[in-house]
Amino acid sequence: MPLALDLDSYARESERFVSEMDREYYLHFAGHKEEFEIEEIYERHAGLFDREVVERLRERVSSNGGEETRRARYLLELAVGGLLGRETKREETELAEREAALELEVGGERLPYRQSAVTQANEADPERRSAIEEARLDVLESELNPLHLRALERAHELARELGWSSYREMYGDLKQIDLAALERQTSAFLEATAGAYEATLEPHLRSQVGFGLDELRRSDLPYFFRARGFDDFFPQERLIEALEGTLGGLGIVLDEQQNVRLDTEQRPLKSPRAFCAPVHVPGEVYLVIPRHGGRDDYAALFHEAGHTEHYAHVNAALPFEFRHLGDNSVTEGFAFLFEHLTEDPAWLQAMLGVTGSEEYAGYARASKLLFLRRYAAKMSYELELHGGRPLSEMPDLYASLLGDAVAVDWPARTWLSDVDPGYYVANYLRAWAFETRLRNLLRERFGDEWFTQPEAGDLLREIWSEGQRLDADELLAQVTGERIDFAVMLEEI
Ligand SMILES: [Zn+2]
């Protein structure tokens, strides 16, 4: 590798790498091809993730400041993530292959491992839900956790080899997020909502699951989130029409967006969940549409549509780092903005003709509170997990933090699989706070039916065009003059 790093040519090759990875992801998970061949892609671009390169980029980041430094910082996060990915790709590939091949045995019936979560969420019998979960946890512990653990230990080691004191310090640095300060905010949220949690949740548990917190097991939660009782509000045949109508209200004609490729065809290997694959931003963005209806498919499709429209509207003249990299709290914020429409009474009435959705709004608030408390506890846990304490203490710590936050017995065995790499938990938490502020602004300026106002679309398009050049704090300061503070989530509950 040359000693002087040319940022422009490094960025160009990074873009080719990211694009090839996203295309492979799209082809595999949309069911166009069975194989998931990322190893070759890493090989083709091995020079990107050289340690030497990481060093050079770090020097750039610590130099003068300004746009150059910002670009180098975004590229550095990609380079470190790529280096970690390359060094643990054997474990990751084996995890994916085992997960795809494993089967559970539940009451004499065989169930594919990956399918089991969907089956559990749709299972009305609590005993069978519990049996499915137990069988899955057994397999997780014996077949997958050893691989998860090896990958985690390798990642921790690499962080130290690269000169950081811990994985936690490394990601705090790379993301420029004060993780400890964020954790203080989320802990304060846990404390502030502890008193109201049970009373908020109880009536909705009783109506969706059939019993309250005293009998609730962790294995009942997917069924609670699935909430089949509300399926009538969300018919399958109106899924795409509802999306087109919503975008149309904002002045976006989905049909005419040449750069947005809708994947609606049914294929046997296609993922049952919606997803967005930004293969080239903004020129080639895929939105993969699911097969079913029901509240969770609507929520998932709108979430992914938020990503899609964000990427599709980025100014093509920006450098790759600002079009595609940067603070993912921003793109997750737009994803949540669209996702939350599907629980907004004004939207339900306008797009799906649903009236009397107060109970649904109450349910949505309760499940959001549960979700936020779970993620707040995950934030505290992940600070410890990646902070240098002995890993042997982690399963118990994980079970007690999550169990206290959600008020059910929480299994320790998911202490590794429940963790997204690179502190993505912080991106989600920041995105929720960012989105709440942004939604408040849209309501204030354009009314409760802001999603029917082309001017609201103009504002969003203007913000989207910047990509992720600014991080969520800077963007929020620019748009509303506020700071990201998780305390704003208290207003939502
Ligand atoms: Zn997302």
Side-chain angles (χ1 to χ4, degrees), residues 39-113:
E39 301 223 21
E40 290 87 334
I41 303 175
Y42 274 111
E43 290 313 314
R44 262 202 300 284
H45 302 283
L48 284 176
F49 312 119
D50 210 74
R51 291 191 190 206
E52 188 73 23
V53 170
V54 170
E55 272 315 306
R56 296 280 162 272
L57 284 168
R58 277 178 88 179
E59 283 160 20
R60 284 294 183 91
V61 172
S62 52
S63 67
N64 54 24
E67 292 297 274
E68 279 274 292
T69 303
R70 189 190 285 269
R71 291 180 58 196
R73 186 154 62 75
Y74 294 171
L75 289 169
L76 176 62
E77 189 182 349
L78 178 74
V80 169
L83 182 59
L84 295 184
R86 208 184 65 187
E87 300 253 348
T88 58
K89 70 174 186 297
R90 191 148 31 97
E91 283 81 7
E92 298 303 336
T93 307
E94 208 176 327
L95 272 169
E97 285 172 2
R98 279 200 205 177
E99 267 188 21
L102 279 169
E103 284 192 336
L104 311 180
E105 191 159 340
V106 186
E109 214 180 301
R110 304 190 75 78
L111 206 56
Y113 181 86

Side-chain angles (χ1 to χ4, degrees), residues 303-304 307 332 335 424 428:
H303 180 101
E304 300 306 326
H307 286 307
E332 293 300 342
Y424 210 81
Y428 283 134

Side-chain angles (χ1 to χ4, degrees), residues 116-118 120-121 126 129-134 136-137 140 197 205 209 211-225 370-371 374-375 378 398-399 402-415 417-418:
S116 66
V118 180
Q120 184 184 336
R129 290 198 292 264
S130 168
I132 295 172
E133 183 156 301
E134 268 311 304
R136 192 173 53 247
L137 290 174
L140 173 69
Y197 174 63
L205 279 176
V209 182
F211 44 81
L213 259 177
D214 52 337
E215 282 176 66
L216 190 77
R217 286 177 285 188
R218 211 226 68 109
S219 52
D220 300 317
L221 289 178
Y223 188 72
F224 175 66
F225 288 126
L370 197 164
F371 217 76
R374 180 175 155 230
Y375 268 78
K378 263 163 66 99
Y398 168 74
L402 272 288
D404 287 349
V406 180
V408 290
D409 274 336
W410 199 272
R413 285 173 282 179
T414 50
W415 70 287
S417 57
D418 191 20

Side-chain angles (χ1 to χ4, degrees), residues 79-385:
V80 169
L83 182 59
L84 295 184
R86 208 184 65 187
E87 300 253 348
T88 58
K89 70 174 186 297
R90 191 148 31 97
E91 283 81 7
E92 298 303 336
T93 307
E94 208 176 327
L95 272 169
E97 285 172 2
R98 279 200 205 177
E99 267 188 21
L102 279 169
E103 284 192 336
L104 311 180
E105 191 159 340
V106 186
E109 214 180 301
R110 304 190 75 78
L111 206 56
Y113 181 86
R114 277 185 176 167
Q115 187 60 39
S116 66
V118 180
T119 308
Q120 184 184 336
N122 283 291
E123 174 58 59
D125 174 10
E127 292 312 319
R128 191 168 151 78
R129 290 198 292 264
S130 168
I132 295 172
E133 183 156 301
E134 268 311 304
R136 192 173 53 247
L137 290 174
D138 283 347
V139 165
L140 173 69
E141 172 106 314
S142 62
E143 302 290 324
L144 304 175
N145 272 356
L147 289 164
H148 278 303
L149 182 59
R150 246 187 10 236
L152 180 71
E153 285 174 336
R154 186 73 198 106
H156 283 180
E157 230 169 69
L158 264 169
R160 289 190 302 268
E161 285 170 22
L162 291 171
W164 277 282
S165 68
S166 64
Y167 183 95
R168 163 176 159 179
E169 196 212 357
M170 178 173 82
Y171 267 101
D173 232 26
L174 292 174
K175 290 177 115 93
Q176 290 288 298
I177 294 176
D178 185 339
L179 296 169
L182 180 59
E183 196 269 343
R184 282 194 294 278
Q185 294 176 9
T186 53
S187 287
F189 176 84
L190 277 173
E191 234 166 86
T193 56
Y197 174 63
E198 298 201 12
T200 305
L201 202 60
E202 189 72 12
H204 300 287
L205 279 176
R206 290 197 178 278
S207 61
Q208 294 306 315
V209 182
F211 44 81
L213 259 177
D214 52 337
E215 282 176 66
L216 190 77
R217 286 177 285 188
R218 211 226 68 109
S219 52
D220 300 317
L221 289 178
Y223 188 72
F224 175 66
F225 288 126
R226 174 67 186 80
R228 292 170 66 178
F230 296 114
D231 275 1
D232 285 352
F233 291 175
F234 301 99
Q236 177 181 1
E237 65 278 8
R238 296 185 68 181
L239 186 62
I240 296 179
E241 176 191 315
L243 178 62
E244 284 170 343
T246 306
L247 293 175
L250 293 166
I252 300 165
V253 184
L254 188 58
D255 260 359
E256 290 173 8
Q257 285 185 289
Q258 301 293 326
N259 53 346
V260 173
R261 321 272 168 98
L262 295 184
D263 187 313
T264 53
E265 207 183 296
Q266 310 270 332
R267 290 173 210 103
L269 292 172
K270 191 172 173 178
S271 155
R273 301 285 285 177
F275 67 90
C276 162
V279 171
H280 192 87
V281 178
E284 187 182 351
V285 185
Y286 292 86
L287 176 59
V288 179
I289 314 258
R291 299 163 236 207
H292 310 294
R295 68 169 291 272
D296 49 349
D297 269 352
Y298 269 75
L301 176 64
F302 275 73
H303 180 101
E304 300 306 326
H307 286 307
T308 301
E309 293 303 330
H310 171 224
Y311 287 125
H313 282 92
V314 172
N315 178 356
L318 288 175
F320 159 67
E321 306 83 280
F322 299 159
R323 282 183 282 117
H324 204 140
L325 305 180
D327 178 11
N328 279 340
S329 318
V330 172
T331 191
E332 293 300 342
F334 296 122
F336 287 136
L337 181 71
F338 276 65
E339 179 183 341
H340 290 154
L341 280 175
T342 66
E343 54 200 45
D344 179 339
W347 182 88
L348 280 162
Q349 167 127 43
M351 292 297 154
L352 296 173
V354 171
T355 51
S357 59
E358 294 77 18
E359 199 200 332
Y360 184 62
Y363 161 82
R365 217 165 26 246
S367 67
K368 189 169 189 178
L369 176 59
L370 197 164
F371 217 76
L372 294 174
R373 288 179 61 82
R374 180 175 155 230
Y375 268 78
K378 263 163 66 99
M379 184 69 214
S380 302
Y381 166 63
E382 290 191 24
L383 274 194
E384 299 298 340
L385 175 69

